Amino acid sequence: MPSHDERLPLFAITAPGLEPLAAAELRALGMDVKEEPGGVSWSGTRAQLYDANLRLRTASRVTVLAAEFRARTFFELERHARKVPWERWVSRGGAVRLRVTSKKSKLYHEGAIAQRILEAIEHRVGALASTDVGRDEEGGEDEGDAQLFIVRFNRDGCTIRADASGALLHLRGYRQALARAPLRETLAAAMLLGAGWDGTAPLVDPMCGSGTIPIEGALLARRIAPGLSAPDREPRDYAFTSWPDFDVERWAAVVDRAAAEILPRSPVPILGSDRDEGAIAAATANAERAGVLGDVAFSARAVSAVEPPAGPGWMVINPPYGVRVGERDPLRNLYAALGRTLRERCPGWTLALLSPDHGLERQVGFALDEALRTSNGGIPVRLVVGQVPDEG
């Protein structure tokens, strides 16, 4: 077995546009990282691998580079694949999932590539309990116990990454009750961090839906690692805990250190409201599962009835997008009403808005600057941020 002090080639996968935020998170943890398209790379210890999975708020997965080589024939692929130390990540009789893509390469048949990879794995670890092959590297919501390998061919160069996370990292475990158009936890955290909110000023979301933004805000304000977002503060499951060389003691130390940083309560008011009473019921249940129900005040009310705490603070909102025909006029009115309410009730506050459309942003009635670009549910969106002017 390799030394537990060795440095591993690590890569945290993010949604497009969130790379700088994940990089900043990792640097705050003391890691020397490099931003790349689609994520952040660094050479890290086993403890850093565990830490990144437990603490990253804006990444989708953390992976380890298993192999990197060039292959223009299946013979070359087989020769290289048999040298990969698959036994580091797969136990005898284990289960494996492959996500294979090939672009501009001599080996273009993804199914045939997967077949050779699986044969190479079985050559080193023996027969596998089950296998699954697909193209979508994110996979489904329920990942099961199979070890994922992400295989990418590009211009005859092959990279193979072993997934260390298991279920996608946005699946913290608390968001079981959903309202309409739910927001991923990673994107909610990205909105907060991208807007510059750090948990030291009040936070309000007047269109909170199932409560993801206020809940992520409470986790951030209390310094709760997202992997500990449960009432008992026990960590969620990760793929690396099933690896043959998993270091139980080192993992326990990482978890204990993160748990010791948690504040007993949010130091600032956090409010979530929505006109839909069903959404508020869902948000309340989710906050309870995250162990932050006492940190967020939820209420059913219209945006025009919002009652912000003493500020200034941050208003962070994921409003409706109106992607269907006939929704534009009502949405213009909604955005305009939001702007009026903020100017009347929240002068000096910071507004952060996830927006699909410059025209809708303009209806708010004051300057908003782009903080980041990404997508939400396949829709290109921008996080725009600005200070609410004083009407007086």
Side-chain angles (χ1 to χ4, degrees):
M1 284 294 176
S3 165
H4 284 191
D5 292 323
E6 72 170 322
R7 299 196 74 82
L8 306 168
L10 304 178
F11 188 79
I13 298 172
T14 71
L18 304 192
E19 298 94 339
L21 296 176
E25 288 191 81
L26 289 166
R27 290 187 185 111
L29 294 172
M31 303 179 202
D32 183 14
V33 301
K34 177 185 176 184
E35 291 178 36
E36 298 182 18
V40 183
S41 64
W42 78 104
S43 174
T45 63
R46 185 125 353 168
Q48 288 181 339
L49 169 67
Y50 298 168
D51 223 16
N53 274 283
L54 187 71
R55 294 173 180 261
L56 275 174
R57 301 180 192 275
T58 59
S60 302
R61 291 192 187 281
V62 180
T63 65
V64 180
L65 182 64
E68 193 168 23
F69 53 81
R70 294 185 64 78
R72 304 186 73 194
T73 67
F74 283 114
F75 173 76
E76 289 179 292
L77 172 60
E78 291 164 3
R79 180 166 57 85
H80 286 295
R82 288 195 172 202
K83 295 178 182 177
V84 177
W86 303 104
E87 62 275 10
R88 293 189 63 172
W89 307 289
V90 183
S91 299
R92 182 174 295 275
V96 166
R97 293 186 301 121
L98 297 183
R99 295 294 176 259
V100 182
T101 56
S102 180
K103 298 178 181 178
K104 300 180 180 179
S105 297
K106 290 286 186 181
L107 300 182
Y108 61 86
H109 193 292
E110 292 161 354
I113 293 170
Q115 178 187 348
R116 268 55 170 206
I117 297 289
L118 290 172
E119 289 172 354
I121 296 173
E122 292 193 321
H123 175 75
R124 291 191 71 116
V125 306
L128 298 170
S130 66
T131 60
D132 175 72
V133 176
R135 199 173 193 280
D136 176 9
E137 74 178 34
E138 286 206 341
E141 296 289 280
D142 182 7
E143 304 290 4
D145 295 326
Q147 173 61 50
L148 170 66
F149 292 97
I150 301 168
V151 182
R152 285 184 173 174
F153 265 90
N154 186 36
R155 299 184 185 275
D156 301 325
C158 178
T159 59
I160 303 174
R161 296 187 180 277
D163 169 50
S165 301
L168 291 163
L169 293 179
H170 81 268
L171 297 170
R172 321 279 206 229
Y174 67 77
R175 191 169 61 105
Q176 297 175 24
L178 302 179
R180 297 187 304 275
L183 185 71
R184 277 193 174 186
E185 295 88 328
T186 42
L187 183 50
M191 290 177 65
L192 294 166
L193 295 172
W197 189 76
D198 62 2
T200 61
L203 172 67
V204 177
D205 179 0
M207 301 181 188
C208 72
S210 52
T212 311
I213 291 173
I215 292 170
E216 288 295 315
L219 296 175
L220 200 159
R222 288 187 57 191
R223 302 176 190 169
I224 299 171
L228 297 178
S229 56
D232 59 6
R233 302 299 172 221
E234 287 296 313
R236 54 152 269 187
D237 293 330
Y238 296 95
F240 63 76
T241 61
S242 298
W243 291 355
D245 61 355
F246 171 56
D247 188 332
V248 178
E249 292 183 359
R250 191 160 300 200
W251 172 233
V254 166
V255 172
D256 289 346
R257 186 167 60 249
E261 296 174 7
I262 296 174
L263 300 179
R265 64 186 63 82
S266 171
V268 295
I270 299 175
L271 279 64
S273 58
D274 197 288
R275 67 187 311 157
D276 182 343
E277 292 188 1
I280 294 302
T284 301
N286 289 336
E288 186 170 19
R289 271 187 290 271
V292 295
L293 184 57
D295 301 292
V296 185
F298 287 111
S299 62
R301 66 180 67 204
V303 173
S304 58
V306 66
E307 295 180 1
W314 263 254
M315 190 79 59
V316 182
I317 309 173
N318 176 38
Y321 297 164
V323 294
R324 292 188 291 272
V325 176
E327 294 179 330
R328 306 297 292 171
D329 287 342
L331 277 182
R332 287 192 187 95
N333 295 336
L334 174 65
Y335 280 63
L338 172 63
R340 285 195 301 272
T341 298
L342 293 180
R343 290 192 297 272
E344 291 170 2
R345 301 189 175 213
C346 306
W349 279 54
T350 299
L351 170 65
L353 196 71
L354 202 60
S355 166
D357 185 287
H358 292 271
L360 290 175
E361 293 165 29
R362 285 194 291 271
Q363 301 304 312
V364 174
F366 53 87
L368 297 169
D369 298 319
E370 180 179 305
L372 63 85
R373 292 188 181 202
T374 186
S375 65
N376 184 22
I379 302 170
V381 291
R382 307 186 314 144
L383 178 67
V384 292
V385 181
Q387 189 170 43
V388 182
D390 188 337
E391 286 287 77

